[in-house]
Structures are given as C-alpha cells and as structure tokens.
C-alpha cells in the first residue's frame, strides 16, 4: 500500500473537516473528519519524527483549526482554511516528511 505523507493527511483533515461541516450543515461530522485526520497524522508524526515533534505538530494542528475562525472574518472562510491547511502541511512536511515517506 502506498504511504500518504503526513503533510497531506493533516492539510486534508483541515480542509475536509471544514468541507464536511459546511456541506452537511452538521458541525460534528466535520469534527469527526478533523479528529480522525489529526489522529492519523499524529501517529505518522510520532513514527517519523518522534514524540516531541508529534506533540509540537499536534499543537500546530489545533492552533490552525482555532486560528482559522478569526482569520475567516478577515479573509473569508475558504481562504482561511486553505491558508492554515497550507501552513500545517508545510510544517508537517518540514518536520516529518522531508526525509522521505
């Protein structure tokens, strides 16, 4: 089975979680997607970069989710989500994926 980079899992969780919540109008379903992707990414981060890096990236993932809300008031919902997803994806790639998947 092909390995999916943790950067794509994390960024996809943020975008997918918002998309599911918006399109279904059920925020809790978006939260399930967000949490599942975050857990999968955290497992990959721990395996590839260690516990401290996984903890730091987990905090970044949660901060991106929380930070996207006030940012959305300034730039719009989708630009905010794509911006924070890109930032988390880049951080994840730099810390856990850069050396190869």
């Amino acid at each position: 089975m092909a390995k999916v980079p943790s950067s794509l899992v994390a960024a996809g969780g943020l975008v997918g979680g918002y998309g599911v919540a918006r399109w279904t109008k059920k925020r809790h379903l978006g939260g399930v997607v967000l949490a599942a992707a975050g857990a999968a990414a955290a497992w990959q981060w721990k395996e590839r970069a260690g516990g401290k890096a996984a903890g730091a990236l987990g905090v970044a993932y949660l901060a991106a989710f929380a930070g996207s809300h006030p940012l959305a008031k300034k730039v719009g919902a989708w630009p905010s989500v794509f911006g924070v997803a890109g930032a988390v994806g880049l951080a994840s790639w730099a810390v856990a994926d850069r050396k190869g998947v």
Side-chain angles (χ1 to χ4, degrees):
M1 181 158 79
K3 294 182 181 179
V4 178
S6 63
S7 53
L8 292 179
V9 173
L14 289 162
V15 173
Y18 175 69
V20 167
R22 181 167 178 146
W23 288 317
T24 64
K25 304 212 185 310
K26 297 184 189 307
R27 293 176 59 154
H28 65 280
L29 291 180
V32 169
V33 171
L34 180 80
W43 180 81
Q44 289 180 310
W45 295 329
K46 186 172 186 242
E47 290 289 314
R48 295 178 186 167
K52 287 183 181 180
L57 289 169
V59 167
Y61 186 78
L62 292 173
F65 168 68
S68 69
H69 292 83
L71 182 59
K73 292 180 182 185
K74 296 180 188 237
V75 299
W78 280 111
S80 172
V81 170
F82 285 130
V84 299
V88 168
L90 182 60
S92 179
W93 175 81
V95 173
D97 295 338
R98 182 172 35 173
K99 295 176 184 163
V101 174

